[in-house]
Amino acid sequence: MRAVTISGPGPSGKLSISSLNPPIAGQRDVVIAVAAAGVNRADLLQRAGYYPPPAGAPDWPGLEISGTVRRVGPGVSRWRAGDQVTALLEGGGYAEEVVVRETQVLPVPDGVDLVDAAALPEAACTVWNNLVDVGRLGPGEWVLAHGGSGGIGTFAIQLARALGAHVATTAGGPERTARCADLGAELVIDHREQDFVDEVRRATDGRGADVVLDLLGGGALGDNVRALARGGRLVVIGMQQGRRGELDLTDLLARRGTVTGTLLRSRPADEKARIVADTERHVWPLIADGQVRPVVHARIPFAEAQSAHELLESGEAFGKVLLVP
């Protein structure tokens, strides 16, 4: 099979097409013929040498795919050849075939195109787990979701609104802020021109956000805490502005706030199985009835994987970038 592999740590030119042996299904595994693979910032970090795959995962990138079941292990009962599915992976999605535990496979939601479904698993599982399980977001609360124009952000806006929350988000420039508003954000802050702490406090009559879903990391740590309401929860899931930040603890104590950091890729299999099952139970019906939808910026052939990484790195994509075999 063909796969997009990494010849060594470095820029996007390190990506190339390789010929590899197709995967073999274990006892409770599913082998899927890939229709599309989602491109995530974790893939860029892996290519650059900063985010190695977990033990046992393939060396090539790709954390989510959609496709058609080709074969299953002898212990698999739910899935069978021909099923159209999407899946959450530890890696290896940039290939014509993948193997994945049956517990990390989901059906393609009703009304979603098979290729576009590759935009769902990573964003849906990440957002559900971090807004609801970790952030404890409730109806009527305010959430600030940074990076509203990205794959996580576009999903978070829609899911939070569907859950009955008030949504604030950040984006750069009038076109992108307008599109975030179209997805359901009540407050869209142009981070190039506005201070998000001031804008969130103004919109909430001085209270602040009950939950902040943060992709920025260290560089935004202090401001994110200052944007919290009393009892607010800051959930850090990315480090686009660095790994280290400075925090005045009096700000955190005054708000009785919590700061939590999570990763999805390195979770144990049983935790991932629970997150995937919860996502299917609670989020898939919202997708099927149109309250939430995948936002896809571009479909790019495997042979142009370098361009796909450069597009994501440029910050110009709105929503997800997909690779298509």
Side-chain angles (χ1 to χ4, degrees), residues 34-40 63-67 85-88 93 108-109 112-124 284 294-296 299 320-325:
V34 173
V39 180
N40 292 280
L63 299 179
E64 58 186 342
I65 58 94
S66 60
V85 296
T86 185
L88 182 73
V108 172
V112 176
D113 175 83
L114 177 62
V115 170
D116 288 351
L120 290 172
E122 181 74 16
W284 255 226
V295 179
V296 175
R299 300 176 173 185
K320 298 285 289 195
V321 176
L322 304 181
L323 280 176
V324 181

Side-chain angles (χ1 to χ4, degrees), residues 149-223:
S149 60
I152 293 291
T154 53
F155 200 93
I157 291 168
Q158 297 177 83
L159 181 59
R161 280 304 301 272
L163 296 174
H166 301 286
V167 184
T169 193
T170 57
E175 180 182 351
R176 298 165 85 79
T177 56
R179 293 183 69 181
C180 289
D182 288 343
L183 289 174
E186 295 176 52
L187 171 65
V188 187
I189 303 152
D190 185 342
H191 62 74
R192 299 174 184 172
E193 304 288 342
Q194 298 171 293
D195 181 284
F196 73 80
V197 178
D198 291 343
E199 296 302 322
V200 167
R201 293 209 161 275
R202 185 176 297 115
T204 59
D205 296 325
R207 283 190 65 252
D210 300 285
V211 178
V212 175
L213 184 65
D214 179 52
L215 299 159
L216 303 177
L221 178 60
D223 285 341

Side-chain angles (χ1 to χ4, degrees), residues 2-8 12-19 60 94 302-303 305-306:
R2 293 182 310 136
V4 179
T5 57
I6 304 169
S7 60
S12 59
K14 294 290 187 177
L15 297 173
S16 60
I17 300 290
S18 300
S19 180
W60 57 98
Y94 292 12
F302 270 17
Q306 179 177 339

Side-chain angles (χ1 to χ4, degrees), residues 95-156:
E96 290 180 318
E97 287 191 1
V98 301
V99 62
V100 59
R101 300 181 194 93
E102 64 171 337
T103 53
Q104 291 171 217
V105 180
L106 303 105
V108 172
D110 291 343
V112 176
D113 175 83
L114 177 62
V115 170
D116 288 351
L120 290 172
E122 181 74 16
C125 290
T126 296
V127 173
W128 171 263
N129 177 243
N130 287 288
L131 283 187
V132 177
D133 293 340
V134 179
R136 308 188 309 279
L137 181 67
E141 290 191 314
W142 272 92
V143 58
L144 168 62
H146 282 291
S149 60
I152 293 291
T154 53
F155 200 93

Side-chain angles (χ1 to χ4, degrees), residues 60-84:
W60 57 98
L63 299 179
E64 58 186 342
I65 58 94
S66 60
T68 303
V69 174
R70 184 155 286 177
R71 50 194 178 275
V72 301
V76 175
S77 58
R78 179 179 182 184
W79 309 108
R80 61 193 64 190
D83 288 345
Q84 291 194 337

